[in-house]
Amino acid sequence: MLKDRLVRLVPAVKQALQKDAERKAYRVMEEALRENQSDFRKLVEGAPLGIVLLDAQLRYTKVNQAFCRMVGYREDELIGQTYKLVTHPDDLAQNMALVGDMLNHQQTGYQLQKRYVRKDGRTIWVTEHPVSGALLKSRCHVLAAFVVDMTERKEAEAQLRLSKLSIDQAGEAILWFDLSAWIIDVNEAACVMLGYSKDELCRMAVHDIMVSAMPDLWPALRSSLKQGETVRFEAINRTKDAGSFLSM
Amino acid sequence: MIKKSPTLQGLRYVHIEESEAEVARIQQALRAGGYEPQPLSVQTADELAAAIEQAEWDLILTDWTLPTITAKAALVQLADRGVDLPVIVVSKVAGEEVIIDALKAGAHD
């Protein structure tokens, strides 16, 4: 800027101030973005569910600690490996088809219950929720997945199925009541003994079938049951065909 | 005390310049351009350092060469102190070499 051409001074000052303001705003934005990325990294790293990112060759490029614990491999053992490393051989074909569909943009994401084979050889059940890199607007990752360990739930479900099967197959009639004395479930033996279908029984109350002493007994019985006590009593039960039998 | 006009935009700047007449002339040009100039005139590196420490500024205006400090040295001093302000060199000379040197040192104009 020449001293004898001060006509340029004001535009130069305006331009310099504007550029300065833009530069500083950009720097603040960059800093906020860095902080966000840092917060996001901490969130992913500390998340209780497994989170993985895969590149175009479907190799792990990022895995969080929850995923490492789930599959029993260290992070450095997983990075560079494909998802085939941990996928159960019997689930691989279906998994590959779903990934193929998603990458051909037929899907943006899906949910799959599948098995992993851990490093120690143990099989675990997981639910995978993959999302395509296109959805994430990621240039270097084609796929991200959130993985939930379902092993405990699967085992609990199996236990429950087994318990239900045992109850259903039991020779004794078993009826479940709510605290208002309505029947909420029965086993097969109860249906046979009382002559009602399961649906019919589930629309009835305890007084409809246990006719002796129940109106007087129920308040005390309910109070005991609420306290977690076991109660034994005798009752005369009325069957659908107007017959009756004594139960304990 | 400087009385601010409600229509003028305040402009706080350090002016590295030995001539009071030049300081006044530039002030007048800025006022004519819609600014309310609030300059602090300095002539040495120490005065510049003190000015930077004592207040917040919008801008640095500097002559290219003074007997006590050059614009290039002032720009280096500002950079060393981590001062991030736009710097405009207002000089009697504006050869290609001067312009390149000034821009390389961090001047905006």
Side-chain angles (χ1 to χ4, degrees):
Chain A
M1 167 87 47
L2 280 168
K3 282 183 174 177
D4 57 4
R5 292 176 64 186
L6 280 186
V7 66
R8 281 199 57 231
L9 178 66
V10 169
V13 166
K14 276 185 183 159
Q15 193 184 22
L17 292 176
Q18 190 183 339
K19 278 187 182 169
D20 186 52
E22 283 169 4
R23 205 178 61 249
K24 283 173 180 163
Y26 186 71
R27 196 181 306 148
V28 168
M29 243 163 40
E30 269 189 331
E31 205 163 308
L33 192 63
R34 262 199 303 276
E35 274 179 26
N36 274 345
Q37 284 172 338
S38 165
D39 287 350
F40 189 68
R41 265 196 298 274
K42 284 181 208 157
L43 189 72
V44 166
E45 204 44 53
L49 76 167
I51 300 175
V52 295
L53 291 173
L54 292 88
D55 66 12
Q57 282 73 46
L58 300 176
R59 294 175 305 203
Y60 295 120
T61 55
K62 288 202 179 3
V63 293
N64 72 347
Q65 285 306 305
F67 186 76
C68 292
R69 282 195 298 275
M70 217 179 279
V71 295
Y73 287 96
R74 292 191 315 270
E75 184 180 352
D76 63 292
E77 292 175 314
L78 289 166
I79 300 298
Q81 296 285 343
T82 72
Y83 67 96
K84 294 173 188 170
L85 174 72
V86 295
T87 300
H88 191 284
D90 293 346
D91 295 338
L92 197 54
Q94 185 196 10
N95 201 161
M96 286 172 73
L98 286 167
V99 170
D101 278 354
M102 192 172 73
L103 296 184
N104 292 330
H105 307 294
Q106 293 170 25
Q107 292 183 1
T108 52
Y110 61 88
Q111 182 177 318
L112 172 66
Q113 279 208 5
K114 60 182 271 195
R115 285 161 292 178
Y116 278 169
V117 180
R118 285 171 46 90
K119 189 182 177 184
D120 59 14
R122 194 156 56 90
T123 298
I124 60 167
W125 277 95
V126 298
T127 302
E128 275 187 356
H129 302 262
V131 281
S132 79
L135 194 71
L136 301 172
K137 297 192 183 343
S138 172
R139 277 177 294 178
C140 46
H141 297 113
V142 298
L143 197 149
F146 304 96
V147 187
V148 182
D149 189 346
M150 303 293 286
T151 311
E152 277 186 23
R153 186 171 158 183
K154 280 271 178 191
E155 285 171 358
E157 282 174 358
Q159 284 288 335
L160 196 64
R161 273 199 303 275
L162 199 62
S163 302
K164 185 145 177 41
L165 186 68
S166 304
I167 289 168
D168 283 344
Q169 299 297 314
E172 293 174 337
I174 301 173
L175 297 93
W176 285 263
F177 303 102
D178 66 16
L179 290 173
S180 304
W182 288 99
I183 297 170
I184 53 174
D185 203 3
V186 295
N187 72 347
E188 185 59 30
C191 296
V192 172
M193 284 184 196
L194 293 163
Y196 292 100
S197 70
K198 186 174 179 174
D199 285 346
E200 286 172 325
L201 284 171
C202 287
R203 288 194 294 270
M204 297 165 80
V206 66
H207 318 298
D208 298 325
I209 52 166
M210 295 182 178
V211 290
S212 69
M214 282 316 288
D216 300 331
L217 185 63
W218 183 252
L221 182 65
R222 185 175 59 180
S223 169
S224 298
L225 291 173
K226 274 177 90 172
Q227 289 168 31
E229 293 172 8
T230 305
V231 183
R232 289 177 177 277
F233 61 93
E234 285 188 354
I236 296 171
N237 302 278
R238 185 191 293 141
T239 61
K240 190 176 184 180
D241 59 5
S244 63
F245 64 91
L246 183 68
S247 71
M248 253 190 89
Chain B
M1 185 176 167
I2 298 164
K3 193 178 175 188
K4 253 187 170 179
S5 158
T7 55
L8 299 180
Q9 183 187 339
L11 183 67
R12 295 170 59 84
Y13 61 95
V14 177
H15 196 166
I16 308 170
E17 172 63 65
E18 62 177 344
S19 160
E20 283 181 22
E22 277 304 319
V23 172
R25 207 163 70 86
I26 283 179
Q27 228 175 311
Q28 196 179 353
L30 289 168
R31 192 171 287 114
Y35 289 104
E36 179 60 64
Q38 298 166 47
L40 176 68
S41 173
V42 299
Q43 294 178 19
T44 66
D46 288 344
E47 284 175 1
L48 174 62
I52 295 303
E53 290 296 321
Q54 77 183 44
E56 295 280 320
W57 304 101
D58 298 317
L59 187 72
I60 307 280
L61 292 179
T62 179
D63 197 347
W64 181 242
T65 310
L66 298 181
T68 49
I69 184 171
T70 64
K72 205 171 168 182
L75 286 162
V76 170
Q77 187 182 338
L78 292 169
D80 286 348
R81 287 172 175 274
V83 176
D84 184 19
L85 286 173
V87 177
I88 295 176
V89 178
V90 187
S91 172
K92 277 184 182 164
V93 287
E96 194 178 336
E97 201 179 324
V98 169
I99 293 167
I100 290 169
D101 273 0
L103 293 174
K104 271 186 182 171
H108 289 72
D109 204 332

